[in-house]
């Protein structure tokens, strides 16, 4: 949006701040970056729009590079367990289907746990993804205890020697205390049945979400301990800039990004690419 | 809350004598930061600040005995003006079956809202018909059928191999035969930048001839809300907005942005996952929510 070679002036600085804010970085993060930019302009005599953008890219990369930590699924002498969670509609179930296929293509054996026993047709939805990924789904009837489903899936994986268990949970607003307690119980049951598990607690965030994503990350992290993030729907026009504030505050690895509704639309998070798309 | 912050700021300013334009500018910076943190669109916030400043530099504030209170009142009034000054009702005046189309991004709450609308309208004495026109998402048809079953509302028996246009055509026929007066059409979530899917939405609209085209938008949507709403509005002409997941702690600034840029009236809000959790939109409540 800014022509090359344009000189630094107040209008340019405002445009840059606007670019940051409209990418959902949040006003605090944007102001901090712009303050750093202002100091750099004085200190280094930066002159063109391109110089300023390069500075911002570097500053953001400094925050995001440390959290570029792709998901590693080591071979253990027990099932490796991933627990997927997040608020309603972010793309958890779809993302699990994508991860399952990826792991199967890498020659791993995978079992899915349909622990969203609440929402209409959630189990059927995961079953279809299971079929697409070529993996089995452990399920109970709608309304069953999610912890019981997780328990069964772990037991089945242990007895059959399945390498990976991925647990789908119901979307829940982080403000619902009883639902957060339900989630803690699922994690407890998993840890009890499989010491060392869950190996990955993946918070699935929607890239179209604004500042509330920070509150989501904070609440889920404090309640259950998040070990990885997946940012979905980056194939839209939302930039997902809120992950910068989340990274700075919590340092949680960003594992994956969702870039579409098909099973292959999953990519490893790359900080450089993400920053390029941002500025 | 912003109201408290502003009251405090003005208390301090009063202690220092006359209020100056500089004081007003500094105070407006607080308002701006608060709005952006509430996810109100950057440009919308800018325009809002300009409007408030114009009034704040007038006698209304500068010569008031309680400028802080006046300032807060102006901010509140300007917000309610932007949000639409009263709840906008659904307009279902059309030859039965009146069609209502639900559109929006993936995961915003369309299918659940369709179920909620069915229950809501039946409580108002209408006879709703749920139409599953999402043949893309896995188990979407099942999802709406299950919701219909929960509230005993008739639902069109969509076959997965049908396309949305023929579904609407057949469903209208079925609604007429069954004497149902309102068709609630659930469409697949789609990106505003997915040209083929936006074209499909136009074709669905041409067939359904809806009396209401409602954008179902997530209350936690960030700065992108305006881009999305404008694109949907351009493509199919929105007649209303339903803001979902307002039971969370998202401030919902997207509502202000969408309304002020597209003019689309906010008609209803979703306040939970249960089918009872829907109610009319009240601009006063939204204004308080953002100012809090
Ligand atoms: N465009 C796009 N759509 C996505 C992406 N990931 C998921 N979706 C869509 O988002 C919608 C919601 O996905 P789900 O997988 O049902 O989300 P969820 O988090 O499991 O939802 P709940 O279980 O109801 O909380 C579906 O229409 C998906 O196809 C993505 O990366 N890009
Ligand atoms: N807390 C809360 N959750 C809601 C609300 N409305 C919908 N949901 C939840 O949001 C998630 C997504 O709802 P859906 O109805 O599947 O959304 P959709 O727009 O039809 O999704 P796609 O068809 O994939 O685009 C589900 O978990 C719903 O239960 C609401 O007002 N409050
Ligand atoms: Mg799900
Ligand atoms: Mg749907």
């Amino acid at each position: 949006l800014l022509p090359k070679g344009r000189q630094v002036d107040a209008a340019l600085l405002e445009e840059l701040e606007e670019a940051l804010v409209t990418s959902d970085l949040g006003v605090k993060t944007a102001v901090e970056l712009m303050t750093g930019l202002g100091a750099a302009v004085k200190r280094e005599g930066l002159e063109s729009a391109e110089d300023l953008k390069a500075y911002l890219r570097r500053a953001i990369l400094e925050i995001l590079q440390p959290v570029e930590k792709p998901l590693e699924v080591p071979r253990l002498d027990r099932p490796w367990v991933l627990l997927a969670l997040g608020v309603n509609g972010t793309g958890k179930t779809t993302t699990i289907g994508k991860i399952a296929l990826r792991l199967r293509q890498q020659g791993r054996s995978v079992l899915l746990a349909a622990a969203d026993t609440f929402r209409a047709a959630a189990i059927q939805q995961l079953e279809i993804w299971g079929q697409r990924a070529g993996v089995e789904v452990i399920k109970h009837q709608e309304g069953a205890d999610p912890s019981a489903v997780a328990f069964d899936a772990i037991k089945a994986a242990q007895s059959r020697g399945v390498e990976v268990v991925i647990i789908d949970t119901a979307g829940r607003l982080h403000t619902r205390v009883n639902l957060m307690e339900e989630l803690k119980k699922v994690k407890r049951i998993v840890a009890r049945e499989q010491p060392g598990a869950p190996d990955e607690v993946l918070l699935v965030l929607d890239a179209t979400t604004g500042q509330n994503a920070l509150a989501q990350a904070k609440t889920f992290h404090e309640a259950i301990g998040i070990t990885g993030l997946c940012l979905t729907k980056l194939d839209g026009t939302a930039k997902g800039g809120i992950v910068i504030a989340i990274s700075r505050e919590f340092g949680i690895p960003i594992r994956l990004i969702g870039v579409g509704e098909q099973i292959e639309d999953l990519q490893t998070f790359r900080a450089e690419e993400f920053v390029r798309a941002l500025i | 809350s912003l109201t408290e912050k502003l009251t405090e700021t003005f208390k301090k300013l009063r202690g220092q004598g006359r209020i100056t334009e500089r004081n007003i500018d500094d105070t407006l910076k607080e308002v701006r930061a608060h709005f952006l943190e509430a996810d109100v669109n950057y440009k919308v916030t800018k325009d809002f600040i300009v409007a408030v400043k114009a009034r704040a530099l007038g006698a209304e504030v500068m010569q008031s005995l309680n400028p802080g209170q006046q300032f807060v009142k102006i901010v509140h009034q300007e917000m309610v003006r932007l949000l639409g000054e009263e709840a906008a009702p659904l307009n279902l005046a059309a030859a039965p079956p009146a069609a209502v189309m639900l559109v929006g991004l993936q995961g915003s709450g369309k299918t659940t809202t369709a179920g909620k609308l069915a229950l809501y309208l039946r409580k108002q004495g209408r006879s709703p018909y749920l139409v599953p026109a999402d043949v893309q998402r896995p188990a979407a048809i099942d999802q709406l059928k299950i919701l219909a079953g929960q509230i005993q509302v008739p639902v069109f028996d969509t076959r997965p191999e049908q396309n949305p246009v023929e579904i609407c055509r057949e469903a209208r026929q079925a609604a007429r035969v069954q004497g149902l007066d309102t068709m609630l059409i659930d469409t697949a979530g789609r990106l505003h930048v997915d040209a083929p899917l936006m074209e499909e939405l136009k074709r669905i609209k041409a067939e359904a001839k809806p009396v209401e085209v409602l954008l179902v938008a997530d209350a936690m949507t960030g700065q992108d809300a305006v881009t999305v709403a404008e694109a949907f509005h351009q493509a199919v002409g929105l007649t209303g907005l339903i803001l979902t997941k307002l039971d969370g702690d998202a401030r919902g600034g997207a509502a202000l942005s969408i309304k002020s840029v597209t003019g689309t009236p906010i008609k209803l809000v979703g306040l939970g996952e249960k089918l009872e959790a829907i109610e009319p939109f009240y601009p006063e409540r939204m204004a308080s929510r953002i100012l809090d």
Side-chain angles (χ1 to χ4, degrees):
Chain A
L1 56 104
L2 303 162
K4 268 195 160 67
R6 183 175 159 189
Q7 295 310 99
V8 182
D9 60 9
L12 173 59
L13 291 174
E14 150 124 40
E15 272 179 49
L16 285 171
E17 190 193 51
E18 178 173 0
L20 296 179
V21 172
T22 55
S23 299
D24 286 319
L25 264 73
V27 105
K28 281 202 185 72
T29 304
V31 166
E32 291 185 23
L33 287 168
M34 292 306 291
T35 305
L37 176 62
V41 168
K42 287 205 179 75
R43 188 179 60 238
E44 302 167 30
L46 301 180
E47 288 193 331
S48 70
E50 204 35 53
D51 285 341
L52 270 58
K53 284 199 270 173
Y55 169 87
L56 286 174
R57 269 185 232 121
R58 274 200 312 277
I60 296 171
L61 208 52
E62 234 169 85
I63 300 169
L64 293 181
Q65 200 68 62
V67 293
E68 181 188 302
K69 297 202 179 111
L71 195 60
E72 289 182 8
V73 186
R75 284 167 204 280
L76 309 167
D77 59 356
R78 59 155 176 95
W80 182 94
V81 183
L82 185 154
L83 180 64
L85 43 93
V87 305
N88 309 73
T90 58
K92 299 175 290 299
T93 306
T94 307
T95 300
I96 288 171
K98 295 173 180 178
I99 294 174
L101 178 73
R102 209 183 232 214
L103 290 173
R104 232 187 35 79
Q105 287 171 338
Q106 293 169 1
R108 318 297 298 272
S109 57
V110 182
L111 202 58
L112 303 183
D116 176 355
T117 56
F118 168 74
R119 207 209 67 214
I123 297 169
Q124 294 92 311
Q125 183 188 8
L126 187 68
E127 285 190 291
I128 292 170
W129 281 110
Q131 288 161 19
R132 291 177 179 181
V135 304
E136 198 189 323
V137 177
I138 299 290
K139 59 176 179 165
H140 289 194
Q141 72 285 0
E142 192 181 297
D145 180 354
S147 297
V149 183
F151 176 95
D152 270 2
I154 303 263
K155 286 288 164 260
Q158 287 168 340
S159 71
R160 302 180 210 172
V162 175
E163 299 174 79
V164 177
V165 175
I166 307 178
I167 305 171
D168 188 16
T169 64
R172 70 202 65 226
L173 293 185
H174 52 293
T175 46
R176 290 284 306 272
V177 176
N178 59 329
L179 297 183
M180 294 305 283
E181 285 307 309
E182 175 186 87
L183 193 58
K184 286 182 194 170
K185 181 179 168 197
V186 172
K187 183 184 178 191
R188 268 201 313 277
I189 298 295
V190 168
R192 188 191 69 194
E193 293 313 311
Q194 180 52 72
D199 300 89
E200 178 78 357
V201 179
L202 188 72
L203 175 62
V204 180
L205 293 172
D206 187 330
T208 66
T209 304
Q211 299 309 297
N212 196 249
L214 189 56
Q216 292 171 26
K218 181 169 200 289
T219 309
F220 278 103
H221 194 43
E222 287 175 4
I224 189 162
I226 305 299
T227 61
L229 301 179
C230 171
L231 189 62
T232 62
K233 307 179 196 172
L234 276 173
D235 46 319
T237 49
K239 295 281 168 28
I242 194 64
V243 296
I244 296 163
I246 294 175
S247 301
R248 238 198 357 202
E249 194 145 341
F250 305 107
I252 301 170
I254 305 175
R255 307 292 194 193
L256 300 157
I257 60 174
V259 293
E261 301 193 72
Q262 307 308 317
I263 200 165
E264 60 273 5
D265 294 331
L266 185 72
Q267 294 176 4
T268 301
F269 170 76
R270 296 286 177 219
E272 274 246 30
E273 279 173 39
F274 184 83
V275 172
R276 286 257 154 221
L278 207 63
I279 296 267
Chain B
S1 83
L2 182 65
T3 307
E4 289 165 357
K5 268 195 245 147
L6 293 177
T7 310
E8 262 320 289
T9 300
F10 273 89
K11 261 217 204 90
K12 293 202 197 88
L13 292 178
R14 288 297 293 290
Q16 299 162 18
R18 278 189 52 244
I19 308 234
T20 65
E21 175 167 352
R22 178 66 196 276
N23 295 149
I24 296 292
D25 274 339
D26 289 343
T27 308
L28 288 172
K29 282 206 181 77
E30 279 181 61
V31 177
R32 177 177 173 272
H34 185 91
F35 270 41
L36 293 176
E37 284 180 10
D39 292 322
V40 180
N41 176 268
Y42 191 92
K43 286 203 172 67
V44 170
T45 300
K46 202 170 176 183
D47 294 343
F48 183 84
I49 298 297
V50 165
V52 170
K53 178 170 179 175
R55 285 183 65 183
L57 292 180
E60 172 177 23
V61 170
M62 301 307 249
Q63 295 175 16
S64 162
L65 289 175
N66 194 334
Q69 192 176 80
Q70 277 309 106
F71 189 90
V72 167
K73 196 152 145 256
I74 289 171
V75 171
H76 190 95
Q77 281 175 356
E78 286 299 319
M79 273 204 72
V80 172
R81 199 175 56 77
L82 266 187
L83 287 168
E85 278 157 322
E86 50 197 28
L90 283 174
N91 158 34
L92 300 173
V100 174
M101 226 170 115
L102 297 175
V103 307
L105 294 179
Q106 291 88 349
S108 63
K110 297 173 293 298
T111 305
T112 309
T113 301
K116 291 179 180 182
L117 276 175
L119 182 62
Y120 181 78
L121 292 176
R122 195 182 58 203
K123 286 183 186 165
Q124 294 183 348
R126 298 192 67 99
S127 52
Y129 192 41
L130 283 168
V131 182
D134 176 359
V135 291
Q136 194 271 109
R137 167 171 156 156
I141 301 167
D142 287 336
Q143 186 183 0
L144 194 58
K145 282 185 173 171
I146 289 170
L147 296 182
Q150 288 176 2
I151 52 177
Q152 284 119 31
V153 161
V155 56
F156 179 72
D157 187 12
T158 301
R159 296 187 308 285
E161 67 273 12
Q162 288 186 291
N163 72 58
V165 172
E166 63 180 319
I167 290 166
C168 289
R169 186 176 314 130
E170 282 184 32
R172 186 188 314 114
Q173 229 351 65
R176 281 207 186 102
V177 164
Q178 297 177 49
L180 303 167
D181 63 18
T182 319
M183 274 171 60
L184 300 168
I185 304 167
D186 179 26
T187 67
R190 69 201 63 219
L191 293 178
H192 52 301
V193 291
D194 187 328
L197 284 188
M198 293 305 281
E199 282 309 306
E200 176 191 77
L201 209 57
K202 291 181 190 169
R203 290 198 300 277
I204 298 173
K205 179 186 180 186
E207 175 58 46
K209 300 190 187 58
V211 66
E212 284 274 10
V213 178
L214 304 172
L215 179 67
V216 178
D218 197 323
M220 59 184 96
T221 308
Q223 294 286 317
D224 207 41
V226 165
T227 316
V228 173
E230 278 185 311
F232 274 91
H233 193 44
Q234 273 280 343
V236 288
L238 304 173
T239 60
L241 174 70
I242 300 182
L243 205 62
T244 62
K245 308 177 202 172
L246 220 52
D247 45 315
D249 58 0
R251 316 298 288 289
L256 194 62
S257 311
I258 293 173
K259 172 77 182 30
S260 89
V261 172
T262 66
T264 306
I266 307 165
K267 301 211 167 180
L268 298 148
V269 298
L271 290 166
E273 294 194 74
K274 299 217 163 73
L275 296 183
E276 290 78 11
I278 188 170
E279 63 180 47
F281 170 76
Y282 296 110
E284 284 285 347
R285 286 189 205 171
M286 192 74 211
S288 304
R289 184 186 182 105
I290 294 180
L291 291 178
D292 246 358

